[in-house]
Amino acid sequence: MRKLISVLCMALSLCACDKQESNKPEIKIGVSLTLSGDMGNIGAIMKGAIEVAEQDLHAKADDLKYNYKFIIEDNALEIKRAALVNQKFFNVDKVDAIIDFGSVIGLTTTPLAEKNKIIHISANASDAKVADGKYNFIHWTQPRYEVDKLVEKIVKDKINNIVIFTGVDPAWIEMSETLQNLLNKHKIKFTEFRTNNQERDFNLLLKKAAMTKPGLYVLFEYSPALDIILKRLQESKNTAPVTSVEAFSFLDDKSVIEGFWYTDAAELQPEYIEKFTTHNKSENIFSVGNAYDAAMLVVAAFERAETKETAIDELLKLKEYDGVVGKIIQDENGIFNSNAVLKKVVNGKPVVVKE
């Protein structure tokens, strides 16, 4: 009997809690992710990060002014589909904020967010134009910091004669151009090869690249091009090291780049890693911290504001934030930056190199 009473009390308590939460006004946050296609593995772990944010917000619901509802949709990394997702967010869901990922998708949201006066945070966009206007923000270590660290390593190791493969993507092109400018400043010789999204046979380009006798390959590519180029280099008995900025983090199987170093955006602080890898059932933590922090930045803006309409002003005033990726600093362009890191793949896992 006592056990029954205890269960009933607990149930009543939970009902009261749910009722209390339901009485609060709701903030709807649209989340546009790449859950299918070649980048579906990354979208899946970022979805997990949003789920962790949801759980954490539910746990402290009593201390919050609003209930937060995340509406997750798949953009398949396609501009047309991303546009349809945004139409749903604005016209059907009537969201109060949008979180998306990557420059290509972010650029489709930017003008709409500005027009509709909706907060928009792109959690791993490298193209600064995604943050244009009052309502648009980026939460990602910007390319110049990652490329700076790459060049520091190149100079330190006295590497010359570099081959660069650049895919057709605004982020990769910007990184490649930044790298080339810095290499020119240091008078380091390089050759760039541009590739396209449909290309699958890289044999001719790789033969041309090998003729330059490179001391290093730099790959600005997404899968499947990235995987194919790495495989062809292995098959050709290439002895030159291969590196990148961010791209190696997309690989599920990192044994193919064993011993290689690369630069990357800031990632989860050590004390948070187990929480997210356990939830996601994946050791890959690329973008996970940024996804979580983007959600919490939106929440912080609404919680600090007197009204929904003034949340944007609170976000603009938020110049420093302690996130799960460490200290985040917002610059004058609405970009939340964190420190770039140098990694080396050891036993199939990326390890941050302490300098």
Side-chain angles (χ1 to χ4, degrees):
M1 185 68 177
R2 286 180 181 176
K3 186 176 180 181
L4 178 59
I5 292 171
S6 176
V7 170
L8 287 171
C9 288
M10 186 180 293
L12 288 170
S13 176
L14 288 171
C15 289
C17 180
D18 288 342
K19 186 176 180 181
Q20 185 180 4
E21 284 190 39
S22 65
N23 287 337
K24 293 180 184 179
E26 185 176 66
I27 299 295
K28 294 180 182 179
I29 303 170
V31 185
S32 182
L33 291 171
T34 301
L35 297 172
S36 57
D38 294 328
M39 297 287 288
N41 61 326
I42 301 299
I45 58 175
M46 290 192 288
K47 178 176 180 285
I50 296 297
E51 290 168 350
V52 172
E54 238 177 340
Q55 291 171 5
D56 289 350
L57 291 170
H58 183 75
K60 60 179 182 180
D62 289 347
D63 300 322
L64 300 175
K65 291 194 302 186
Y66 296 102
N67 290 327
Y68 292 90
K69 180 181 180 180
F70 293 88
I71 303 167
I72 299 174
E73 297 289 350
D74 178 18
N75 59 52
L77 200 60
E78 296 174 359
I79 293 175
K80 288 183 179 179
R81 189 157 170 177
L84 291 173
V85 167
N86 281 333
Q87 284 181 25
K88 177 179 179 291
F89 286 158
F90 286 112
N91 302 323
V92 179
D93 301 314
K94 308 291 184 184
V95 298
D96 301 288
I98 292 177
I99 297 170
D100 57 27
F101 302 87
S103 300
V104 172
I105 302 303
L107 287 169
T108 67
T109 309
T110 295
L112 295 171
E114 197 67 19
K115 179 182 176 182
N116 290 278
K117 297 183 178 180
I118 294 294
I119 289 173
H120 162 225
I121 301 181
S122 197
N124 64 352
S126 297
D127 190 333
K129 292 192 290 295
V130 173
D132 283 355
K134 179 179 178 180
Y135 288 84
N136 295 290
F137 301 83
I138 291 172
H139 174 23
W140 192 245
T141 307
Q142 288 303 283
R144 63 184 182 275
Y145 302 117
E146 296 171 298
V147 176
D148 277 349
K149 192 162 283 291
L150 179 74
V151 174
E152 282 176 19
K153 176 70 171 169
I154 289 170
V155 172
K156 182 181 177 182
D157 291 354
K158 298 179 180 179
I159 300 171
N160 199 10
N161 204 16
I162 293 167
V163 163
I164 306 167
F165 278 81
T166 308
V168 181
D169 180 273
W172 292 144
I173 292 168
E174 183 177 350
M175 286 186 190
S176 183
E177 289 174 351
T178 303
L179 173 60
Q180 291 172 53
N181 288 335
L182 288 171
L183 292 176
N184 280 327
K185 285 182 181 179
H186 288 279
K187 297 181 179 178
I188 296 172
K189 184 181 176 183
F190 65 87
T191 305
E192 185 199 29
F193 296 92
R194 289 285 179 102
T195 63
N196 62 63
N197 296 333
Q198 286 73 44
E199 201 159 355
R200 296 294 181 267
D201 183 358
F202 298 93
N203 290 332
L204 181 59
L205 286 181
L206 286 167
K207 284 180 181 178
K208 289 180 178 179
M211 289 174 66
T212 69
K213 297 183 179 179
L216 178 72
Y217 286 88
V218 181
L219 307 182
F220 294 122
E221 300 280 358
Y222 288 122
S223 294
L226 176 65
D227 309 73
I228 295 169
I229 293 171
L230 285 169
K231 185 178 180 181
R232 295 290 178 267
L233 285 171
Q234 271 190 334
E235 292 170 348
S236 67
K237 309 297 183 184
N238 165 66
T239 58
V242 185
T243 190
S244 185
V245 176
E246 299 182 15
F248 288 172
S249 290
F250 301 144
L251 297 169
D252 280 335
D253 179 13
K254 293 182 175 59
S255 63
V256 295
I257 51 170
E258 181 68 30
F260 291 163
W261 58 267
Y262 64 104
T263 61
D264 207 350
E267 62 177 27
L268 282 169
Q269 296 295 291
E271 62 267 31
Y272 297 108
I273 291 176
E274 185 178 355
K275 176 178 182 176
F276 287 92
T277 55
T278 300
H279 177 86
N280 287 338
K281 297 180 175 58
S282 170
E283 296 297 316
N284 196 343
I285 55 174
F286 181 74
S287 292
V288 165
N290 295 80
Y292 180 91
D293 283 343
M296 291 308 182
L297 284 167
V298 171
V299 170
F302 281 100
E303 289 296 314
R304 295 180 185 200
E306 290 188 13
T307 66
K308 285 185 179 183
E309 292 71 28
T310 58
I312 181 61
D313 300 316
E314 294 302 320
L315 189 54
L316 287 165
K317 288 191 290 188
L318 192 58
K319 296 302 180 184
E320 289 189 17
Y321 183 82
D322 290 323
V324 295
V325 298
K327 185 171 287 296
I328 307 165
I329 308 293
Q330 182 184 177
D331 67 17
E332 67 278 6
N333 299 313
I335 299 174
F336 289 93
N337 277 295
S338 43
N339 292 328
V341 295
L342 180 68
K343 296 178 179 177
K344 185 177 181 179
V345 178
V346 180
N347 296 324
K349 293 184 179 181
V351 178
V352 175
V353 177
K354 302 296 182 183
E355 298 172 86

